[in-house]
Amino acid sequence: MVKVAYIKILSLFLVTLVMAVNAQNHNRSIQAKLPEQEHNKLKYSQPVIGAWFWDEEEFKPEGYKQFIDDVSIHSCFDLLSTAIRVPGRDITDIDVHNQVKKAVEYANEKGIQIALELDPRVARRKFEEMYPTELQESLWLQEIEVSAQKPVETTIRSVDLTDHMIGKKTPYVSLYGSLSRVYSYQKTSEGILASSIKEVTKECSVIISTKDSIVVSIPPCQENNNLYACVLVSFTHLTPDVFSPHLIEFTRELIYSYSDVPLAGGMRDEWGFPPSVPAKRMAAGNHFWYSKYYEEEYRKRTKGRELLYDFLLMYIGIKGEENSRINAINHYMEMNWQRNAILENDFYQTIKDVFGPEAAVVTHATWYPFPNKLEIKKNALCWWSAKRDWAQTDETTPFAVRTALAKKWNSSVWYNQYYSSESKSYQTELWSSALGGGRLNYHPIYPVKNKNLNAKRELFRGEIMRGESRVRLLNYISETPLNCPVAVIFGHSSVMNWVGPYYEDVGMKLVDKLWGIGIPTDLIPTSEITNKSLKVDDEGWIYYGKQRYSAIVLYNPEFETAATAEFFKKASNGQTSLFQIGNWTRDFDGNPMNGNRTLPNNMLIINNIDSVVNNISGVLAARNIEFQTPASRLVEGFGHTSLAPPTSGQCQLIDGTVIQVAGTENAAGDNIISEIKIGKHDVIFDAIGLAAVRLDQNGNVQALAAGGLKYFKTGKMIIQLDERIDLAFWKNNEGKYEGVIQGTENTIPSQLKSISKKWDFLQLPAPLKE
């Protein structure tokens, strides 16, 4: 029998007749048989991704064709992360569905694939209609001194939260507010006196109640002149509650409603609680995400503790309950990242179930692109648990996060969605990213300063796509990410606990120091130990995905569990050198302990960053691990900075592929005339933009990629071309070379024919000229 929720969602979504017929044949389980539909597979494991944001132009008859035509002629994009965030256009509407289907079919004809945003936040009104009691609540605490002579009033105001998902016209508005609780108490500088706490909600009255503000009156108390009250007010916002019991079902149905469209996958970015803006007020410490379902989960998790009472504990603190305060915060924040990870991973799996195991899931879990208190508030740094096929970030996310995510998801590269108001900036990002093991997801020009500029098409001018065409050659020769011989593993609970000593400190100063001397370093939370993503192999190496680490720094392990200590004990006699910064004085529940003694004796505790860097440098030197080009580019934005690779230099992938890039002067690439050593072997290149090679232990070429190659020599292999050619070749499973040539008219120079008779041809994008 079809579930009531499914019948409701069919009527609201106005799905196609085909989908309705199919619905009668299964019980709405997402694992049930799906409509017969041929979905697309990506041509190779690393696509070139561009972002496509629809506006009203795309809804005109065949209005989508212009952009698709431009992409097919003027860009390298073969996958578009596509979002429809147009006021008045709901992706659950039949006319939107039908227009998307036409656009996707047309794009597929042009060899371009679409991953569509299928996120419940762009269907918030539908969710509200179906589940009006399952919307996200935002709880504010406000302390006021109680008078002995007369009632006192306090006003608590909500905020309209907004982000790119919905625009300024339809923010996450507050729909209504309600008084949740009022506590009265006495307090000292050490906190609230526990024996004085009373719930006085029924004695107070709501004077004014609107959707975005509430005025509460607190009666006088003649018995005590040193009495305070804390008013807890909840505002319900127009967005699904993260802990909603129907959110997963709703999201699955939303995805299923597009199962008849030949999509290559689905898109969701910056998932989590609503964005914490205005930042100063949201980060003041008196705001918490809340709902009755959140309360229920918290009660189960903490064996009966009441979340509303614990908000008072978390905010102000109660004398003598310091351990309980730490415990409450740790549980509250851990619930946040674990629940968001559950939702992210169910989205991922549903996309696979509906569109096939090869479906692409894009884009990034990052919002505020730095692991600070605002990002902590939004998703509790669930980045490392939000499943993707390729590591994905955005804006100014530190490179150490990007490289770590590539290891976590076993992806050859990471993608960073990047935008700028200046087209020149994309050049810097392209070549710096390539040197750091990554690629761009090309967001159009933003913000648009020139009203006459067509932001969607501007990147098709000039040479940026020519540069990208050369970088994409790397996709054919390696399936491993950047080699980062060091990892900084930060205490996940420690960094999120605002009453602890290490709040908001993930170790970026240390990370930057290491990158700055040519030691690429991954940044990973300790929760990756708990979920067994970080492992120790039989030889005692700590590894993450395909990456073995020569050195690990455990950074600020305060509030860790026994699992962290056991992990490092297991690795104590292995190949990875162990270091520690920051003390471990309390466990997850806030109980005092000497955590340092639970860690291996050979884990060096060094609280000076420079000393740790010097020690790590010595470890790598002793193992003959060559440093890479130092990160010297300062990435700035959103109030934070970090170091990134420059636009010219050399790096190495885990499989030994050595990459040289040069893109400082020209977006299409600068000349590379180099003589380098790879082990004992001399390698000479004359190329443009890109020169990459992987040798076997005897010095024979396993794979090579180069832009504008003119000359190459190592050992007995010499390539000398009359005309510069973009190319890549590699040894296949049979030990024979095959390759691709870019931009020629199906002609193969005799020198290349002598290497292989099997060559494919790639078309070059033609610069847009107007």
Side-chain angles (χ1 to χ4, degrees):
M1 183 177 179
V2 178
K3 293 189 292 187
V4 173
Y6 175 57
I7 296 172
K8 290 169 66 180
I9 205 163
L10 280 179
S11 64
L12 288 169
F13 283 11
L14 299 176
V15 292
T16 61
L17 179 60
V18 172
M19 292 156 56
V21 170
N22 274 279
Q24 297 172 6
N25 298 322
H26 62 74
N27 67 357
R28 300 311 300 133
S29 167
I30 201 66
Q31 283 76 29
K33 183 179 178 181
L34 298 173
E36 293 295 330
Q37 175 63 54
E38 188 68 32
H39 297 291
N40 282 318
K41 294 183 179 181
L42 298 166
K43 290 183 293 185
Y44 46 78
S45 59
Q46 300 93 40
V48 181
I49 307 178
W52 187 16
F53 298 104
W54 282 32
D55 53 34
E56 283 296 341
E57 181 67 28
E58 275 78 8
F59 286 101
K60 294 177 181 178
E62 300 188 342
Y64 49 81
K65 285 190 173 182
Q66 179 65 64
F67 184 73
I68 291 296
D69 289 343
D70 286 341
V71 167
S72 66
I73 297 170
H74 304 299
S75 85
C76 302
F77 304 156
D78 45 22
L79 177 64
L80 295 177
S81 53
T82 303
I84 300 172
R85 301 164 184 168
V86 182
R89 301 284 189 178
D90 194 313
I91 60 171
T92 63
D93 293 339
I94 192 65
D95 59 332
V96 173
H97 171 279
N98 291 344
Q99 189 75 347
V100 167
K101 188 172 184 179
K102 292 176 184 177
V104 172
E105 290 171 345
Y106 184 74
N108 290 348
E109 291 174 8
K110 299 289 184 176
I112 300 163
Q113 299 174 68
I114 305 295
L116 180 67
E117 184 169 66
L118 295 168
D119 189 303
R121 290 171 296 180
V122 294
R124 290 171 301 121
R125 286 296 185 187
K126 294 293 190 298
F127 187 89
E128 179 197 17
E129 258 184 276
M130 293 184 64
Y131 307 111
T133 63
E134 297 182 24
L135 301 176
Q136 186 63 61
E137 294 180 54
S138 182
L139 192 134
W140 296 86
L141 290 81
Q142 189 154 306
E143 188 179 59
I144 187 171
E145 192 168 358
V146 177
S147 170
Q149 289 80 33
K150 60 181 181 179
V152 293
E153 295 180 1
T154 184
T155 302
I156 300 95
R157 293 183 174 84
S158 181
V159 292
D160 280 350
L161 305 172
T162 187
D163 63 13
H164 68 291
M165 291 292 302
I166 48 182
K168 294 181 179 179
K169 293 184 178 179
T170 52
Y172 303 108
V173 293
S174 176
L175 300 174
Y176 52 86
S178 61
L179 177 64
S180 298
R181 193 71 56 84
V182 181
Y183 292 104
S184 68
Y185 48 82
Q186 294 174 289
K187 69 174 186 176
T188 69
S189 59
E190 296 176 280
I192 296 170
L193 299 178
S195 60
S196 69
I197 299 174
K198 294 180 180 179
E199 187 197 333
V200 294
T201 312
K202 293 181 180 179
E203 300 170 28
C204 302
S205 56
V206 176
I207 305 301
I208 299 173
S209 179
T210 67
K211 65 179 184 179
D212 52 15
S213 64
I214 288 181
V215 180
V216 178
S217 176
I218 302 162
C221 181
Q222 297 179 355
E223 299 175 0
N224 196 313
N225 292 327
N226 187 29
L227 196 66
Y228 293 83
C230 190
V231 180
L232 286 70
V233 166
S234 176
F235 293 97
T236 299
H237 290 267
L238 180 58
T239 192
D241 170 21
V242 166
F243 283 84
S244 158
H246 288 100
L247 180 54
I248 287 177
E249 179 183 348
F250 181 88
T251 304
R252 289 176 177 177
E253 299 293 353
L254 178 60
I255 294 169
Y256 187 87
S257 71
Y258 276 79
S259 61
D260 65 318
V261 180
L263 292 166
M267 169 181 160
R268 172 148 88 177
D269 68 11
E270 302 184 7
W271 174 259
F273 294 99
S276 300
V277 288
K280 287 185 178 179
R281 187 176 174 202
M282 295 293 283
N286 64 330
H287 172 269
F288 297 89
W289 301 116
Y290 177 72
S291 72
K292 64 180 181 181
Y293 304 106
Y294 203 144
E295 172 85 52
E296 290 172 4
E297 183 63 28
Y298 184 82
R299 189 183 297 273
K300 291 177 188 176
R301 187 184 182 98
T302 58
K303 299 179 180 179
R305 293 187 68 96
E306 186 184 25
L307 185 54
L308 287 174
Y309 177 87
D310 278 359
F311 282 150
L312 180 68
L313 172 67
M314 287 187 250
Y315 172 42
I316 299 175
I318 299 173
K319 185 178 179 180
E321 296 188 21
E322 291 78 14
N323 296 359
S324 295
R325 189 182 188 193
I326 290 170
N327 182 312
I329 294 171
N330 285 342
H331 279 292
Y332 178 77
M333 296 308 301
E334 187 174 74
M335 284 176 61
N336 286 355
W337 78 256
Q338 289 181 349
R339 174 60 177 175
N340 279 307
I342 288 170
L343 297 174
E344 287 274 25
N345 295 340
D346 192 83
F347 178 86
Y348 173 92
Q349 189 56 51
T350 304
I351 291 294
K352 300 289 186 177
D353 290 340
V354 173
F355 298 108
E358 300 300 320
V361 180
V362 292
T363 51
H364 47 89
T366 53
W367 166 61
Y368 201 94
F370 198 87
N372 75 338
K373 57 189 174 186
L374 293 179
E375 191 72 5
I376 288 168
K377 193 172 190 66
K378 182 172 175 63
N379 55 44
L381 300 181
C382 72
W383 302 350
W384 293 262
S385 295
K387 194 169 185 180
R388 299 289 190 271
D389 291 307
W390 314 294
Q392 296 174 71
T393 56
D394 74 324
E395 296 167 330
T396 58
T397 304
F399 271 54
V401 173
R402 308 180 195 188
T403 56
L405 291 176
K407 314 303 167 50
K408 174 61 185 284
W409 303 123
N410 199 30
S411 60
S412 306
V413 298
W414 49 260
Y415 290 90
N416 192 66
Q417 189 171 72
Y418 178 78
Y419 63 83
S420 172
S421 60
E422 304 294 337
S423 58
K424 173 72 174 176
S425 299
Y426 291 83
Q427 174 186 337
T428 300
E429 291 296 321
L430 168 64
W431 293 105
S432 174
S433 295
L435 194 55
R439 308 286 187 270
L440 299 192
N441 175 343
Y442 289 85
H443 188 298
I445 297 286
Y446 179 83
V448 180
K449 295 180 180 179
N450 183 351
K451 293 182 179 180
N452 297 320
L453 181 145
N454 187 331
K456 290 183 183 179
R457 310 177 72 200
E458 191 64 19
L459 293 180
F460 303 153
R461 305 182 195 280
E463 297 290 339
I464 189 66
M465 286 297 125
R466 186 68 181 93
E468 174 60 50
S469 71
R470 284 175 166 148
V471 170
R472 73 177 172 180
L473 294 170
L474 292 171
N475 299 343
Y476 292 91
I477 70 166
S478 178
E479 294 184 354
T480 62
L482 185 74
N483 184 31
C484 299
V486 177
V488 172
I489 303 177
F490 67 88
H492 199 164
S493 296
S494 173
V495 85
M496 297 193 297
N497 194 309
W498 55 88
V499 301
Y502 305 119
Y503 179 50
E504 207 182 6
D505 181 7
V506 298
M508 278 305 302
K509 288 183 180 179
L510 171 60
V511 166
D512 278 344
K513 282 273 188 180
L514 291 164
W515 275 82
I517 62 171
I519 305 176
T521 299
D522 292 333
L523 183 65
I524 307 168
T526 50
S527 52
E528 291 295 278
I529 293 173
T530 308
N531 66 24
K532 302 186 186 309
S533 296
L534 274 162
K535 300 177 182 179
V536 180
D537 68 14
D538 293 339
E539 297 178 31
W541 290 97
I542 293 177
Y543 70 100
Y544 195 46
K546 294 179 180 179
Q547 180 74 63
R548 279 180 166 182
Y549 295 111
S550 293
I552 289 282
V553 181
L554 176 61
Y555 192 85
N556 295 344
E558 190 79 319
F559 310 137
E560 283 303 303
T561 66
T564 298
E566 290 302 316
F567 175 83
F568 286 107
K569 282 181 180 178
K570 185 177 179 181
S572 61
N573 296 317
Q575 303 296 319
T576 303
S577 296
L578 306 178
F579 300 89
Q580 179 187 342
I581 289 181
N583 287 322
W584 185 358
T585 66
R586 291 180 183 270
D587 65 13
F588 183 84
D589 292 323
N591 300 313
M593 65 176 293
N594 191 335
N596 294 347
R597 289 188 178 180
T598 69
L599 293 166
N601 293 330
N602 63 345
M603 176 177 263
L604 298 180
I605 302 176
I606 307 173
N607 286 320
N608 180 278
I609 287 178
D610 289 334
S611 295
V612 172
V613 171
N614 290 337
N615 273 269
I616 289 174
S617 298
V619 169
L620 300 190
R623 298 184 180 187
N624 297 316
I625 297 174
E626 294 186 10
F627 289 20
Q628 304 184 36
T629 297
S632 57
R633 183 171 72 91
L634 190 66
V635 177
E636 298 181 275
F638 302 90
H640 294 275
T641 62
S642 62
L643 289 180
T647 50
S648 296
Q650 182 175 314
C651 69
Q652 183 172 312
L653 306 184
I654 289 175
D655 65 3
T657 302
V658 174
I659 299 172
Q660 299 173 78
V661 303
T664 303
E665 300 298 328
N666 300 295
D670 304 331
N671 288 338
I672 297 175
I673 300 176
S674 65
E675 295 185 25
I676 63 173
K677 269 194 175 295
I678 299 178
K680 299 178 181 179
H681 308 289
D682 295 317
V683 176
I684 301 173
F685 267 110
D686 182 351
I688 295 176
L690 171 72
V693 66
R694 183 170 68 255
L695 306 179
D696 65 19
Q697 60 184 0
N698 297 316
N700 300 314
V701 175
Q702 290 184 311
L704 181 146
L709 183 67
K710 183 73 172 176
Y711 182 81
F712 169 80
K713 181 179 186 301
T714 188
K716 295 180 181 180
M717 178 176 279
I718 300 175
I719 301 174
Q720 189 162 4
L721 302 171
D722 295 332
E723 302 290 336
R724 292 187 180 276
I725 293 178
D726 295 351
L727 59 81
F729 63 85
W730 57 94
K731 283 188 177 179
N732 59 26
N733 293 334
E734 298 174 354
K736 296 181 179 180
Y737 289 120
E738 60 180 281
V740 294
I741 296 173
Q742 184 165 256
T744 65
E745 297 294 330
N746 295 336
T747 57
I748 305 173
S750 58
Q751 275 246 310
L752 299 184
K753 286 182 180 179
S754 67
I755 294 173
S756 175
K757 294 181 180 179
K758 187 175 182 180
W759 294 89
D760 288 327
F761 294 88
L762 298 177
Q763 183 178 349
L764 282 176
L768 178 67
K769 296 179 180 179
E770 287 186 4

